Amino acid sequence: MRTPLVVPATGGPHAGLTGRDGGTSIGMRYLPRILGVLTAAYSVAIAVRPVLLARPCGLTRGPDGEDVDAGVRVLVGGIGARDAAIGTAMVLAPRGPALRVALAARVVSDAADALVFGTQLPARDRRPKVVAFALFWAALCALSARWADR
């Protein structure tokens, strides 16, 4: 018999996250998969429309910030393809070691992006925001590894 989830009457930050036996709620169990779907969707979007990544990085031209050089388009397309593959692996990998490897690939890729974009973006004022986003996503994916075996 399954133990029902404990949901405090007052709510709180951990409401519905664990059962009486310390088990995991369904929502947290699927966190790595949800992050994989979001990763894949965003990655396909930037591959199709590179301006979605180029603009926040300060890599666009023109008065409306919509013009992306061919070289930037190629690099963003490559990043999009890499991340779409990793996101898809996060969704489809079986629980356990395979899912942990997919999550590790996501974390390492985001950490590398933070390093490269944080030191090389020509628009220095954009660096902190881009680094913060990449590190936030890396940390969230690393945290989700907690549920990779459940």
Side-chain angles (χ1 to χ4, degrees):
M1 182 169 139
R2 288 188 77 166
T3 305
L5 292 177
V6 176
V7 181
T10 58
H14 302 292
L17 295 182
T18 61
R20 286 192 180 107
D21 62 355
T24 303
S25 77
I26 291 173
M28 296 309 284
R29 180 172 184 244
Y30 288 102
L31 183 60
R33 308 306 186 171
I34 293 165
L35 295 174
V37 168
L38 294 174
T39 294
Y42 177 71
S43 301
V44 169
I46 65 169
V48 170
R49 205 156 170 256
V51 71
L52 296 173
L53 179 63
R55 187 185 303 123
C57 293
L59 298 173
T60 58
R61 295 181 298 138
D64 59 358
E66 291 286 322
D67 189 21
V68 180
D69 288 334
V72 173
R73 285 182 178 281
V74 169
L75 292 175
V76 171
I79 291 169
R82 174 199 74 187
D83 291 350
I86 294 171
T88 300
M90 290 166 62
V91 173
L92 299 178
R95 293 200 168 276
L99 182 53
R100 284 195 305 275
V101 168
L103 288 166
R106 175 77 265 139
V107 171
V108 169
S109 294
D110 284 328
D113 289 348
L115 177 66
V116 172
F117 285 95
T119 60
Q120 302 299 314
L121 280 179
R124 290 179 181 264
D125 62 321
R126 304 291 178 101
R127 291 178 183 181
K129 190 179 205 178
V130 172
V131 167
F133 183 81
L135 291 179
F136 169 77
W137 200 254
L140 191 57
C141 289
L143 174 68
S144 80
R146 176 179 180 182
W147 295 280
D149 293 322
R150 299 177 188 177

